[in-house]
Amino acid sequence: MNLHSFLWTLKSPAVNDDLSLCVCVQYCLSGHPTLPCNVLKFKSTTIMLDCGLDTTAALYFLPLPLVHSPRLSKLPGWVSKDGAINLEKELKECSGRVFVDSQPEFCLPEKELLDLSTIDVILISNYHCMMALPYITEHTGFTGTVYATEPTLQIGRLLMEELVTFMERVPKAQAATCWKNKEIQRLLPGPLKDAVDVWSWRKCYSVQEVNSALSKVQLVGYSQKVELFGAVQVTPLSSGYSLGSSNWIIQSHYEKVSYVSGSSLLTTHPQPMEQSSLKNSDVLILTGLTQIPTANPDGMLGEFCSNLSMTIRAGGNVLVPCYSSGVIYDLLECLYQFMDSANLGSTPFYFISPVANSSLEFSQIFAEWLCQNKQSKVYLPEPPFPHAELIQTNKLKHYPSIHGDFSSEFRQPCVVFTGHPSLRFGDVVHFMELWGKSSLNTIIFTEPDFSYLDALAPYQPLAMKCVYCPIDTRLNFHQVSKLLKDIQPLHVVCPEPYTQPPPAQPHRSDLMLELQPPPMSYRRCSVLGLPFRRRYERIHLLPELARSLVPSEIKAGVSVATVSAVLQSKDNKHVLQPVPKPAPVPPSKKRKRVMEEPPEVLNPKPLLSGAVPLEPFLATLHKNGITEVKVEETADGHILHLQTEDVLIQLEEDATHIICDNNEPLRTALRDLVLRFLQKL
Amino acid sequence: MPDIKVTPLGAGQDVGRSCILVSIGGKNIMLDCGMHMGYNDDRRFPDFSYVTQNGRLTEFLDCVIISHFHLDHCGALPYMSEMVGYDGPIYMTHPTKAICPILLEDFRKITVDKKGETNFFTSQMIKDCMKKVVPLNLHQTVQVDEELEIKAYYAGHVLGAAMFQIKVGSESVVYTGDYNMTPDRHLGAAWIDKCRPDLLISESTYATTIRDSKRCRERDFLKKVHETVERGGKVLIPVFALGRAQELCILLETFWERMNLKAPIYFSTGLTEKANHYYKLFITWTNQKIRKTFVQRNMFEFKHIKAFDRSYADNPGPMVVFATPGMLHAGQSLQIFKKWAGNEKNMLIMPGYCVQGTVGHKILNGQKKLEMEGRATLDVKLQVEYMSFSAHADAKGIMQLIRMAEPRNMLLVHGEAKKMEFLKDKIEQEFSISCYMPANGETTTIVTNPSVPVDISLNLLKREMALGGPLPDAKRPRTMHGTLIMKDNSLRLVSPEQALKELGLSEHQLRFTCRVQLHDPHSDTDTLGRIYTHLKSVLKSYSIQHVPDGTVIVESIVIKVTSSAEEPNLKVLLLSWSYQDEELGSFLSTLLKNGLPS
């Protein structure tokens, strides 16, 4: 089916009659509320907002063990009950579920909705929302620029490199594709059967692709005004969610779109969210709200600490599957204070990731991007995060992987922070195999991106305790409705799930956006025309022109001036300059011919307004030597008969008609007398 | 006529106590607030009484901007804000905000504790002053108020140094502070976009110098140090704690490592470690190479350079000591100098500029006998080398910055008058822009010519752009007509029709009718046809219609033909046009009077 025609029919109410007439069109390439990817066509500029990579697709795959796992290597292949479909090479049965035995794949933003090579710029809001960048910038003909803050670039690079390392450390020869066949997938057991868009899933990119993609990034600072082609100005604003995270303002002189993505009002380590600059938006695109609206991050942190200490006291180990940057800094800071007070000061923390060291080091050098509290520590000068001290005192140790020094140095009981939170790849897989069988140990989920039950599925049955303490500091519905009340955008655009209560809690109408006018919602592949009433554009009058204008007051406080000028438009900037004086006609024999040259095309005169009053006009005529005037009253005014000259002038409220034959000098003289009484516009 | 006024209170044809007042678009900005190293009296601070004779400065200044942490740019700040009185915002970058108070406290200690001066700012005043500081990031546009915005650009020079763009409406000024156009071992080069300011205010410390390549200077430096150490001599390098010190430390550290040298290198005062810490935490402000490798190897962790103790100065054998302050005007560097000056085996390397009046300046001018405080004179026997490592732009660099920013006017500060004179000529010649160099207290006025921003109705603009076609004809530019409505501070350019409508005015129709007699022996219809053909051939680019009801319409001009029964060959043409087609109507009536071609 033709995707395009499908879309156009799909969204008829939101799509205005003719998209080409819309000032701004939004193409939605991802329906995931927290991993957005939208494209705005705004004033002839094509702007991609974020390119999130949905890694939840990895949950359908078998874990990639770092160390040979007899359990995972001996799983039975899957054959349909009637034996008709045999996919034992591609699919394995594990813990009562069927998984794909292949390198894990991720769900990409939609690539067919519009030509990605036409994208001029990509704006990144935070490092979690840029993980699909190499898929977009490489091999699509993309030639534009990516804008991101320095922490976003540096940490984003670390997360991408980590992902690549995780994959490349455990190479898998086969790429399973047969199961994706529509006819076959239909017959598979759930949840594989219900996986969507499986043909768009791709395996991880390479380091070369990461480097190439990131070489297209141009760094920006908060509140920096970046001009795009003279037509649009984009500005990142602090969003308070993570180091360098930003919301974006996309505006021209007269239209303003705010793109709010992953924002937080909680005081954690990043610079607080900048709200006031979001005011006066025509359209606000809202993405990246909390994924766990019912969990309070502070409460979760408390639960995290108490579960951790309980396990350690009982002699067990704690496994924290997490990303290598972000909440882990807050967890370490929290534990830094907690462990001593809980009398657990000697428990070692291990942070295992190919980028653990870099992540810890980088976190200390972004003073400008931190909250006030941390900034003032840098002024002392002290490292802003206490994990520097944890490292110095050997309480926190970091290793690139479980291989090497770690295996000889590690002591139990301990706390291990490691990735990937999907539990499908990375060092965490090893710890699951190692500690899963003992009920002394605990796994504490803090990342909200994955359903913990799905994450654990291939490890069942599990003796280890599982605690779910998702910490999502992003805006909740209560905060966002207050925010929207403050900044009052004219229209809100948001992913569809935000317009209805969560499916699991259909009665919680407080867990959705209720706005007036109702938000425009989108899903993957929607195309929306954004409502703008654009009426003005910025233009500059050159000083010479401005000086030559003669304003006249029409009524109190309102003046007008007629402007005749030459328009120059360059790089989407418009300038009016004075009309150049015509070159003086050389005094030659040609003089006669001048009359025969028709006047310049289209040199319109100003419009006239006002009235020509009878008595003053007669007086003026008199002064100019026209004395014999016969005035005749009519229904609408007067007719003046200039008897000597045989000219008729019809004076009415809104019209003057001069009927004059064969006497051009007289006609023009009369014209000018009439014009004296009228305003020119 | 709008203008920009600039008055240096310090650094006008001088180096030291930088403080420049700028008035732009009704806003007053103070750029830097420094002290002068060469004076110990009132002249040490800028003369703020220029701004106001009595009372506080707050109401006269919209903001204060500090370009970097060197004392000749920020040393008078607590005096200005706390003792004279200023409560408005003070802008500086994060590293400057971090380091500035430490240097101020140092300065205060030397002045008050060592020299025993009273009536000087206190520690508390430094703290109170710093509370008024608003830190900013590179390239961040800070809206000081509705009209005034400032933006910082990277300047090299020292950690956190910035150039500032100050903008009100479409008028703008760029102030460079001190800057460096070539990257060095720890910092990058200054950069600015083509922002075309009305005025560029640039430092001009090295206005006449074109420095040889950095590499040569470094080699020369290392050779001199190495030779001295080899023959058992001691090397004293007076520096300021932050800036060149780190640059030279990196240089010596790598050299010691490579040559496997054993002679000790020391760095005086406890500030070193702390200073290096600042560099580590603000590593994003250093150059590309250091930033890239900092996770593996932090360039500011030195193996060979140790903290100095005052007793080490008397140790026998070779050593290299970095000591503060850099101009030998006080403190540890001066003490060590006094100890080592008598021995010709030793060497003094001055890596930076010395202000007039300092011991450093005297020695560099070849003075061999120095009068010290009180009685004794000091014979200077050690070798003296001057090597410019200060990270200022040289003449070439200044020209390069002008090329980058493309200012309409240029103003030089922070340099010596004679050298400025030379550079001024050069700039005026090469760029054909005016260049100014006011002395302290002297005001330069620069007339600006800002264009006027106006809101144009989209309909009018689109119509005009459509009619103008994609490529404007340079020979026959299209004239566009609009009406500018001025109301409550807003300027809107709309089509005349829209203006009438908006202002609630009705249009006044001015029409002309003209009868032209013509001898044409044809039927009326044929005559009309002949007129049509004739006009078609004359008026090539006009729309001409022959309407079946017996009229020819040219644009909006109506032409009818009548004749009387008596004289069928005498035609009367009736032409009627509105004022909007006046020129064409007038032309046609004259044209038709001349008859039709047969």
Side-chain angles (χ1 to χ4, degrees):
Chain A
M1 177 174 186
N2 181 328
L3 186 63
H4 280 88
S5 60
F6 164 71
L7 293 165
W8 294 87
T9 49
L10 177 81
K11 279 308 266 190
S12 46
V15 175
N16 310 14
D17 336 13
D18 182 0
L19 281 175
S20 66
L21 284 181
C22 287
V23 181
C24 187
V25 180
Q26 177 178 347
Y27 298 81
C28 311
L29 310 192
S30 157
H32 195 300
T34 35
L35 297 167
C37 183
N38 290 299
V39 174
L40 282 189
K41 286 204 176 181
F42 182 49
K43 292 198 75 182
S44 66
T45 312
T46 307
I47 304 170
M48 178 178 273
L49 305 171
D50 279 332
C51 46
L53 182 65
D54 186 353
T55 48
T56 51
L59 293 175
Y60 296 99
F61 292 76
L62 270 190
L64 293 181
L66 266 182
V67 177
H68 177 75
S69 156
R71 184 178 77 92
L72 290 173
S73 59
K74 284 194 202 120
L75 296 171
W78 181 82
V79 182
S80 65
K81 280 204 186 92
D82 56 4
I85 308 170
N86 184 337
L87 286 177
E88 56 184 1
K89 287 238 168 62
E90 290 199 352
L91 304 179
K92 296 277 152 74
E93 274 187 72
C94 175
S95 315
R97 262 204 213 193
V98 176
F99 293 91
V100 183
D101 185 14
S102 159
Q103 198 189 91
E105 295 180 338
F106 310 126
C107 179
L108 270 51
E110 185 56 54
K111 284 177 131 180
E112 307 296 322
L113 191 55
L114 84 164
D115 180 0
L116 296 180
S117 71
T118 61
I119 290 171
D120 298 309
V121 296
I122 303 180
L123 309 180
I124 303 293
S125 56
N126 62 68
Y127 47 76
H128 286 302
C129 290
M130 65 186 287
M131 297 299 279
L133 198 60
Y135 297 114
I136 306 287
T137 62
E138 309 307 300
H139 319 299
T140 59
F142 173 82
T143 55
T145 310
V146 182
Y147 290 96
T149 63
E150 181 159 15
T152 299
L153 169 68
Q154 301 297 3
I155 296 172
R157 177 191 294 279
L158 295 182
L159 294 183
M160 288 183 186
E161 284 173 356
E162 182 186 52
L163 199 61
V164 172
T165 313
F166 282 158
M167 295 298 168
E168 290 181 350
R169 272 197 320 211
V170 191
K172 279 244 176 190
Q174 79 161 353
T177 52
C178 296
W179 71 273
K180 290 184 181 176
N181 187 309
K182 238 187 197 129
E183 291 311 308
I184 294 176
Q185 195 200 351
R186 210 161 47 87
L187 303 168
L188 297 179
L192 263 185
K193 180 175 67 174
D194 307 314
V196 289
D197 297 318
V198 292
W199 282 105
S200 74
W201 293 8
R202 291 286 175 275
K203 64 183 177 72
C204 189
Y205 31 72
S206 69
V207 163
Q208 290 75 29
E209 286 166 325
V210 170
N211 288 336
S212 172
L214 295 183
S215 71
K216 293 162 181 136
V217 174
Q218 183 146 354
L219 296 181
V220 287
Y222 288 150
S223 302
Q224 179 176 345
K225 295 177 178 171
V226 182
E227 290 282 340
L228 304 180
F229 317 107
V232 181
Q233 191 185 61
V234 296
T235 307
L237 301 173
S238 176
S239 77
Y241 170 56
S242 62
L243 272 175
S245 69
S246 5
N247 293 322
W248 289 85
I249 304 284
I250 301 125
Q251 64 186 341
S252 69
H253 279 289
Y254 304 96
E255 302 85 22
K256 178 169 174 179
V257 181
S258 291
Y259 174 54
V260 172
S261 165
S263 300
S264 176
L265 291 172
L266 297 183
T267 324
T268 59
H269 57 273
Q271 210 181 95
M273 178 182 178
E274 155 72 34
Q275 298 178 47
S276 59
S277 306
L278 298 171
K279 284 184 181 164
N280 301 320
S281 303
D282 296 292
V283 172
L284 184 135
I285 302 171
L286 181 67
T287 66
L289 301 182
T290 177
Q291 301 188 77
I292 319 289
T294 47
N296 163 13
D298 280 333
M300 288 294 126
L301 208 54
E303 229 170 278
F304 173 81
C305 287
S306 68
N307 278 293
L308 183 138
S309 67
M310 242 165 19
T311 305
I312 299 287
R313 271 187 234 284
N317 299 297
V318 175
L319 178 61
V320 186
C322 61
Y323 292 116
S324 294
S325 179
V327 176
I328 184 172
Y329 305 140
D330 300 314
L331 291 177
L332 287 173
E333 180 156 10
C334 171
L335 291 177
Y336 166 82
Q337 291 157 357
F338 174 78
M339 294 307 268
D340 277 329
S341 67
N343 216 1
L344 293 167
S346 60
T347 312
F349 300 154
Y350 301 112
F351 177 15
I352 302 167
S353 155
V355 298
N357 185 25
S358 297
S359 167
L360 294 171
E361 289 285 340
F362 268 110
S363 66
Q364 306 286 20
I365 65 159
F366 292 126
E368 287 100 323
W369 309 88
L370 293 171
C371 63
Q372 189 97 50
N373 210 344
K374 297 226 173 301
Q375 252 174 31
S376 44
K377 285 189 99 174
V378 177
Y379 293 159
L380 290 178
E382 279 170 23
F385 285 97
H387 53 239
E389 198 186 318
L390 288 176
I391 295 169
Q392 221 164 28
T393 54
N394 268 327
K395 286 179 178 162
L396 170 64
K397 293 194 171 190
H398 52 81
Y399 301 89
S401 104
I402 51 163
H403 298 302
D405 292 344
F406 174 71
S407 45
S408 54
E409 287 175 12
F410 108 109
R411 289 185 291 118
Q412 306 190 57
C414 61
V415 182
V416 169
F417 297 88
T418 188
H420 184 271
S422 66
L423 307 190
R424 290 302 179 272
F425 44 87
D427 301 86
V428 73
V429 175
H430 176 70
F431 288 97
M432 286 307 293
E433 296 286 315
L434 190 68
W435 292 346
K437 294 165 210 85
S438 164
S439 59
L440 281 181
N441 302 324
T442 306
I443 179 169
I444 310 182
F445 290 91
T446 56
E447 301 289 353
D449 285 357
F450 302 91
S451 140
Y452 77 102
L453 288 174
D454 287 338
L456 290 172
Y459 301 97
Q460 301 290 5
L462 213 56
M464 164 188 229
K465 277 200 292 292
C466 298
V467 179
Y468 186 52
C469 295
I471 298 175
D472 194 333
T473 58
R474 286 172 281 209
L475 297 175
N476 60 35
F477 287 98
H478 176 69
Q479 290 166 326
V480 87
S481 61
K482 190 169 169 296
L483 174 75
L484 292 176
K485 215 172 271 170
D486 287 345
I487 59 178
Q488 300 234 332
L490 291 182
H491 298 275
V492 172
V493 176
C494 68
E496 197 169 60
Y498 293 166
T499 59
Q500 54 215 28
Q505 294 143 298
H507 304 299
R508 294 290 299 268
S509 61
D510 57 325
L511 301 183
M512 62 179 278
L513 280 180
E514 275 189 291
L515 299 171
Q516 226 23 269
M520 297 172 68
S521 71
Y522 68 84
R523 37 183 147 153
R524 192 177 168 104
C525 290
S526 297
V527 179
L528 310 180
L530 300 189
F532 279 109
R533 281 186 309 149
R534 196 159 90 89
R535 302 229 304 261
Y536 287 97
E537 181 66 87
R538 179 53 57 100
I539 199 167
H540 283 266
L541 308 186
L542 283 191
E544 307 84 76
L545 176 66
R547 272 198 298 277
S548 72
L549 298 181
V550 190
S552 63
E553 195 165 32
I554 294 275
K555 43 186 154 182
V558 183
S559 302
V560 296
T562 56
V563 178
S564 292
V566 173
L567 172 70
Q568 264 219 335
S569 299
K570 206 168 110 188
D571 300 336
N572 290 314
K573 299 256 188 245
H574 311 291
V575 170
L576 282 181
Q577 48 192 22
V579 181
K581 293 205 181 78
V585 182
S588 68
K589 308 156 229 162
K590 276 195 170 172
R591 189 76 207 271
K592 252 192 185 159
R593 274 194 57 99
V594 172
M595 252 334 272
E596 285 160 36
E597 293 276 322
E600 289 283 314
V601 188
L602 291 174
N603 213 355
K605 294 279 186 220
L607 288 186
L608 302 173
S609 177
V612 182
L614 179 66
E615 291 306 325
F617 183 62
L618 286 173
T620 310
L621 287 178
H622 201 268
K623 225 183 273 170
N624 283 275
I626 300 168
T627 47
E628 278 183 70
V629 181
K630 202 177 119 205
V631 180
E632 185 185 321
E633 203 153 328
T634 64
D636 301 315
H638 300 88
I639 293 177
L640 279 55
H641 187 195
L642 282 50
Q643 287 172 318
T644 326
E645 297 82 5
D646 195 22
V647 168
L648 286 177
I649 302 177
Q650 200 175 346
L651 288 184
E652 287 175 9
E653 178 75 29
D654 284 335
T656 302
H657 193 168
I658 298 174
I659 302 150
C660 170
D661 304 333
N662 276 328
N663 193 344
E664 187 63 11
L666 176 65
R667 189 189 65 82
T668 51
L670 289 172
R671 175 195 72 196
D672 293 341
L673 292 183
V674 169
L675 285 177
R676 278 193 207 173
F677 292 91
L678 298 173
Q679 284 156 341
K680 291 154 206 78
L681 288 162
Chain B
M1 203 72 124
D3 57 23
I4 298 173
K5 288 195 169 67
V6 183
T7 314
L9 299 186
Q13 303 180 5
D14 185 19
V15 176
R17 57 166 184 182
S18 283
C19 184
I20 297 132
L21 297 178
V22 171
S23 298
I24 172 172
K27 306 283 168 183
N28 298 318
I29 297 111
M30 179 184 283
L31 301 170
D32 279 336
C33 190
M35 54 86 80
H36 202 297
M37 309 266 184
Y39 299 116
N40 282 322
D41 50 24
D42 281 352
R43 290 171 296 173
R44 137 176 87 198
F45 292 145
D47 180 10
F48 298 112
S49 67
Y50 180 91
V51 182
T52 171
Q53 285 292 335
N54 36 30
R56 304 168 69 78
L57 299 173
T58 312
E59 58 182 294
F60 298 95
L61 293 176
D62 291 278
C63 74
V64 173
I65 294 171
I66 301 295
S67 65
H68 63 287
F69 60 64
H70 278 155
L71 288 175
D72 59 330
H73 292 261
C74 69
L77 198 55
Y79 172 75
M80 192 273 304
S81 74
E82 306 311 306
M83 297 174 78
V84 181
Y86 169 73
D87 299 320
I90 302 169
Y91 292 97
M92 50 177 88
T93 65
H94 285 271
T96 308
K97 184 182 175 188
I99 296 164
C100 174
I102 295 170
L103 298 186
L104 286 171
E105 181 58 29
D106 238 38
F107 173 39
R108 190 198 66 80
K109 265 195 205 137
I110 290 177
T111 318
V112 177
D113 299 354
K114 295 235 170 89
K115 294 189 190 155
E117 279 188 47
T118 51
N119 193 23
F120 202 72
F121 55 77
T122 62
S123 297
Q124 188 56 43
M125 287 178 183
I126 298 177
K127 281 186 194 133
D128 292 341
C129 167
M130 293 313 289
K131 281 183 199 146
K132 298 169 185 171
V133 171
V134 182
L136 45 67
N137 296 341
L138 287 180
H139 301 166
Q140 174 189 5
T141 306
V142 175
Q143 212 71 45
V144 177
D145 58 34
E146 292 230 325
E147 286 114 30
L148 173 61
E149 61 178 49
I150 59 176
K151 179 177 178 183
Y153 290 92
Y154 191 76
H157 187 62
V158 289
L159 194 72
M163 309 193 278
F164 283 87
Q165 182 193 41
I166 298 117
K167 207 170 159 191
V168 180
S170 51
E171 295 173 276
S172 65
V173 172
V174 170
Y175 171 60
T176 64
D178 292 354
Y179 64 105
N180 188 8
M181 292 301 286
T182 45
D184 60 28
R185 270 168 199 275
H186 75 297
L187 296 173
W191 179 86
I192 193 161
D193 51 16
K194 206 178 282 295
C195 56
R196 298 195 176 96
D198 292 297
L199 176 66
L200 174 64
I201 305 175
S202 172
E203 66 133 325
S204 51
T205 324
Y206 289 118
T208 55
T209 322
I210 294 199
R211 285 183 294 180
D212 50 0
S213 95
K214 187 109 192 179
R215 210 163 278 274
C216 292
R217 247 175 302 147
E218 288 179 355
R219 210 166 31 225
D220 213 23
F221 169 79
L222 292 171
K223 199 172 131 218
K224 296 249 160 69
V225 172
H226 193 192
E227 280 170 4
T228 310
V229 172
E230 286 285 276
R231 67 168 179 258
K234 296 177 167 64
V235 182
L236 172 64
I237 309 171
V239 288
F240 287 97
L242 291 122
R244 272 337 80 194
Q246 279 68 27
E247 168 94 2
L248 296 175
C249 283
I250 293 175
L251 191 61
L252 279 190
E253 168 92 7
T254 37
F255 186 69
W256 249 236
E257 183 103 19
R258 199 176 65 210
M259 305 294 285
N260 199 16
L261 297 179
K262 294 284 175 273
I265 309 174
Y266 297 113
F267 201 118
S268 81
T269 79
L271 200 55
T272 341
E273 188 114 344
K274 220 171 167 182
N276 291 339
H277 239 92
Y278 281 116
Y279 280 83
K280 281 190 236 169
L281 293 172
F282 285 111
I283 210 123
T284 53
W285 286 79
T286 60
N287 69 26
Q288 199 85 33
K289 196 179 151 207
I290 292 185
R291 272 156 54 187
K292 258 201 160 142
T293 55
F294 91 104
V295 176
Q296 290 80 42
R297 161 152 172 56
N298 199 315
M299 288 296 267
F300 299 102
E301 275 161 18
F302 300 117
K303 266 195 295 187
H304 297 275
I305 301 167
K306 308 257 156 42
F308 181 74
D309 185 279
R310 157 194 314 238
S311 65
Y312 296 173
D314 298 319
N315 284 358
M319 67 175 85
V320 180
V321 176
F322 290 97
T324 54
M327 299 188 192
L328 279 184
H329 53 284
Q332 203 152 31
S333 62
L334 187 59
Q335 282 168 19
I336 300 172
F337 173 73
K338 284 188 208 160
K339 280 197 174 157
W340 294 358
N343 191 337
E344 59 276 345
K345 267 209 302 195
N346 297 340
M347 178 176 283
L348 171 75
I349 298 180
M350 299 296 292
Y353 184 86
C354 284
V355 163
Q356 212 151 22
T358 58
V359 174
H361 188 262
K362 288 175 194 157
I363 296 169
L364 284 183
N365 279 346
Q367 216 167 311
K368 288 292 173 198
K369 271 191 198 305
L370 292 175
E371 284 181 34
M372 299 320 279
E373 276 156 43
R375 51 228 142 64
T377 58
L378 185 68
D379 286 319
V380 180
K381 289 191 185 148
L382 52 46
Q383 298 177 49
V384 177
E385 290 288 341
Y386 173 67
M387 277 178 208
S388 149
F389 275 96
S390 25
H392 292 280
D394 61 2
K396 220 165 78 190
I398 296 170
M399 303 301 261
Q400 202 184 333
L401 187 78
I402 299 177
R403 238 165 269 136
M404 264 182 167
E406 290 191 358
R408 297 193 181 89
N409 295 279
M410 187 75 194
L411 190 143
L412 300 176
V413 294
H414 200 284
E416 292 160 31
K418 248 195 281 163
K419 296 181 181 175
M420 279 184 181
E421 208 64 81
F422 175 83
L423 184 64
K424 171 175 145 63
D425 288 347
K426 224 178 123 176
I427 290 170
E428 289 183 336
Q429 260 174 37
E430 186 157 331
F431 299 102
S432 322
I433 56 175
S434 306
C435 184
Y436 306 87
M437 41 173 284
N440 286 338
E442 193 186 316
T443 301
T444 299
T445 305
I446 285 132
V447 173
T448 56
N449 216 353
S451 60
V452 182
V454 159
D455 297 347
I456 185 171
S457 100
L458 209 57
N459 291 338
L460 178 62
L461 182 67
K462 281 196 170 158
R463 189 176 76 188
E464 199 56 33
M465 286 172 78
L467 289 171
L471 285 170
D473 184 349
K475 279 190 222 144
R476 290 178 58 180
R478 236 189 82 75
T479 309
M480 147 178 172
H481 291 269
T483 303
L484 189 66
I485 305 179
M486 290 162 262
K487 190 176 155 190
D488 315 326
N489 277 335
S490 81
L491 294 175
R492 285 176 308 123
L493 185 60
V494 299
S495 64
E497 295 83 3
Q498 193 184 337
L500 278 180
K501 218 164 102 190
E502 259 184 54
L503 296 168
L505 300 174
S506 53
E507 191 187 343
H508 189 101
Q509 286 284 347
L510 177 56
R511 283 199 77 80
F512 304 97
T513 300
C514 193
R515 279 166 300 187
V516 177
Q517 297 195 337
L518 198 67
H519 274 283
D520 199 40
H522 297 277
S523 73
D524 288 2
T525 333
D526 287 355
T527 303
L528 197 65
R530 282 159 50 73
I531 289 171
Y532 175 71
T533 324
H534 180 46
L535 294 184
K536 262 293 205 210
S537 71
V538 177
L539 303 171
K540 292 216 167 58
S541 42
Y542 288 85
S543 99
I544 305 174
Q545 296 166 59
H546 190 167
V547 187
D549 72 349
T551 49
V552 166
I553 299 178
V554 184
E555 298 294 328
S556 72
I557 300 169
V558 181
I559 304 171
K560 279 183 195 289
V561 176
T562 56
S563 58
S564 59
E566 307 89 71
E567 276 187 87
N569 288 347
L570 184 65
K571 309 288 181 191
V572 177
L573 310 187
L574 201 69
L575 270 79
S576 182
W577 68 92
S578 75
Y579 176 61
Q580 273 62 42
D581 274 321
E582 164 70 3
E583 274 159 30
L584 187 61
S586 165
F587 170 78
L588 283 186
S589 65
T590 317
L591 179 79
L592 292 173
K593 238 174 261 170
N594 297 342
L596 297 173
S598 41

